[in-house]
Structures are given as structure tokens and as C-alpha cells.
Amino acid sequence: MTAILILISACLYGVSPILAKIAYTYGVTPLVLMTWRVTIAAALLWTVGLAFRRITPVEGRMAAALVALGATLVPAQVFSYFYALSLLPASTASVIVNTAPIHVAWMERLALGEQMARGDLVILGAIIAGALLVAGSTPQAGHTVGFMVLGGATLASAFYLVVQRRLVRDVPPLMVLAIIQASSAAVYWVAILLTGQSLTRLPLPAFAAIVTSALVATVASFLVLMALRTLAATRTAMLGMLEPVVTVVLSVLLLADRMTWPRLSGIAIVLAGITIFYWRLRQPGVVAPRASDGEGFGAL
């Protein structure tokens, strides 16, 4: 049953980029999309928390750290991804950004002064090669900027996973999400006021796509948090690899995404490399990442 929750959440996360692309076709900007998306998610989280009495006090320094995180790293990370989505096919963006947990491995090894195993280095090299193959064969003009932004989003996502481990050990997951989302929403509203972009002149289909995206991401986050209570992080991450598969399939079927053999090969290499990486983590003598690794990019 727990594994089914992760598979459902992965499917929901996989739909989110498609909904964003639909909103973009109506002229919605990434900033407008993210302002509505995060505001709706924050309102939903606080409403659910209050309704089920899950809003609990958070120690002052920890609350300040979460607010700072929600006002800086998280919006920078997530906005970069959704901005890249406005420039790149959803399939490409989803596959590349889902390599973030792999970067967590070398970041933590580097921070601890440890050397990565030769097998891990080979897998990492294969994943990077596959990502470069996907990037080089993406049939969309002007995608260089998109890949630069996407690369930043991927590394920021990995760094967030590392930071998250050290900040949220003693805070209930719902409170973590609620505080971070509320802080991020405040940042987006300030940006909207400074840029003068309108939040009200949206076609109904675009607004429907944005609302659905917010609901989908929030429900997916809850399912992951529920599943992580009983499911190992490595297994969670492996099941979560269904997310980019769903995005690729829907991107081809619904958005007329042109899939060439080089792109398809690169996507297959990346997905296979990540799967093998997590399989290796389950072998005896290998320390698995903690629960936060399984939460994926879409959790926020």
C-alpha cells in the first residue's frame, strides 16, 4: 500500500510540468504561474493543518531558518525549473532535474572529504553523458539559456536536499512545507508588485491548469510524506523515478513533443543510471540516503 502512494505521487508530479506548459501556451509568465501556484499550495497546507490540528509551534531559530530557506533557496530553485520549462520541452526538463539526488551524493562526499566508489563515478559519468545527449538533441531554438537555468535549478535542488537534512529533523513535515510555502509566496507577491505583472487577466483554461498544478503538487507532497513513515528512502526514490517517465509520455502525447532517437537514448541512459545508482545503495555495506532524499524535486 505504501509503495502505491509513492507511485501515485510520482504520477501526480509527472503531470505538473504538463499543466505548466499548458498555462504557458495562453501567455502566462513563469512568475505569474508560480505566484498563484505557491499561494494556493500555502493556503491549502495551512487550511488542512488547522482543520486537522496539525499546526504546532516551531522553535524560534528553526522557524527563522525555515522562513529564510523559503524566501531564498526554495523559490530560486523552483522558479528556475519552471522558467526552464517555458523554454524547453517538459520531457527534457523533467528528466534532467530528476538527476538532483545523484548530485547530493557527490556534494556530501565532497563535504565529508570522502571518495566516491569507482562504480558510482562510472554511473555519474553515464548520467551526465546521457543528460548532455538529451541537451544536444533537444529540437528547440534558444534552448541554451534554458539549459543553463535548468542546470542551476538541478544543483540548487540537490543543495536543498542536503540543507533540508540538517534543518528539519525535529519539525513535523507539514509544518516544514507550510512555513516554506508561505515564505515563498511572500517572495513571489513582492516580485509581482515590483514587476507590475497582472495576476487577474488570465484565460480560464490557463487558471484551471495553474490551480490543478498546485493541488496536484500539494497532494503528491502529502502522499510522499505519508509513505516515508514506513518505506525506505532508497525504495521511495526508485519508485519516484516513474515521475519523469510520466512526463515524457504525456509530453509526447499531449504537447506534440518531437522525440528523436538521440533524445530517447539520452533519456533512457539517465533513467537507467539513476535506477542503478539507487539499486547500489540497497546493497550490503552501502549507506542509504535519509528520508529527505526520497522527497523529490516536486515536493515544493
Side-chain angles (χ1 to χ4, degrees), residues 77-98:
Q77 163 208 334
V78 182
F79 179 80
S80 296
Y81 173 59
F82 279 88
Y83 179 77
L85 270 177
S86 70
L87 303 174
L88 299 170
S91 56
T92 295
S94 178
V95 168
I96 292 179
V97 84
N98 272 280

Side-chain angles (χ1 to χ4, degrees), residues 15-29 32-33 36 40 199-214 255:
V15 171
S16 188
I18 306 300
L19 294 169
K21 295 291 283 188
I22 292 173
Y24 291 153
T25 62
Y26 288 92
V28 176
T29 67
V32 169
L33 181 144
W36 274 118
I40 294 170
L199 290 172
T200 58
R201 300 174 185 175
L202 297 178
L204 183 58
F207 188 68
I210 294 172
V211 172
T212 304
S213 174
L255 303 179

Side-chain angles (χ1 to χ4, degrees), residues 212-231:
T212 304
S213 174
L215 295 177
V216 159
T218 305
V219 171
S221 298
F222 275 121
L223 293 179
V224 170
L225 293 173
M226 289 173 59
L228 282 172
R229 293 177 178 177
T230 57
L231 192 65

Side-chain angles (χ1 to χ4, degrees), residues 91 247-259:
S91 56
T247 302
V248 169
V249 172
L250 292 179
S251 184
V252 172
L253 294 179
L254 301 180
L255 303 179
D257 189 358
R258 190 154 52 92
M259 192 62 62

Side-chain angles (χ1 to χ4, degrees), residues 94-279:
S94 178
V95 168
I96 292 179
V97 84
N98 272 280
T99 65
I102 304 299
H103 296 295
V104 172
W106 66 259
M107 283 183 179
E108 293 213 318
R109 292 295 180 95
L110 185 63
L112 296 174
E114 300 176 358
Q115 292 185 347
M116 293 185 67
R118 182 176 300 177
D120 291 338
L121 289 173
V122 171
I123 295 172
L124 180 60
I127 291 172
I128 293 174
L132 291 175
L133 182 58
V134 172
S137 55
T138 296
Q140 190 155 331
H143 63 269
T144 302
V145 173
F147 278 113
M148 292 176 62
V149 175
L150 184 62
T154 304
L155 293 176
S157 178
F159 183 66
Y160 170 68
L161 287 175
V162 174
V163 172
Q164 186 185 40
R165 287 182 178 180
R166 289 156 177 77
L167 289 179
V168 300
R169 292 173 181 172
D170 301 319
V171 183
L174 176 63
M175 290 305 302
V176 172
L177 292 176
I179 294 174
I180 287 178
Q181 290 287 53
S183 303
S184 295
V187 171
Y188 287 121
W189 277 95
V190 170
I192 283 290
L193 293 175
L194 292 176
T195 59
Q197 297 186 42
S198 174
L199 290 172
T200 58
R201 300 174 185 175
L202 297 178
L204 183 58
F207 188 68
I210 294 172
V211 172
T212 304
S213 174
L215 295 177
V216 159
T218 305
V219 171
S221 298
F222 275 121
L223 293 179
V224 170
L225 293 173
M226 289 173 59
L228 282 172
R229 293 177 178 177
T230 57
L231 192 65
T234 50
R235 183 164 174 77
T236 301
M238 292 179 71
L239 293 171
M241 285 313 299
L242 180 61
E243 174 189 340
V245 174
V246 170
T247 302
V248 169
V249 172
L250 292 179
S251 184
V252 172
L253 294 179
L254 301 180
L255 303 179
D257 189 358
R258 190 154 52 92
M259 192 62 62
T260 62
W261 280 111
R263 279 189 73 206
L264 190 59
S265 300
I267 289 172
I269 291 171
V270 171
L271 296 180
I274 295 174
T275 301
I276 294 172
F277 176 80
Y278 281 115
W279 177 81

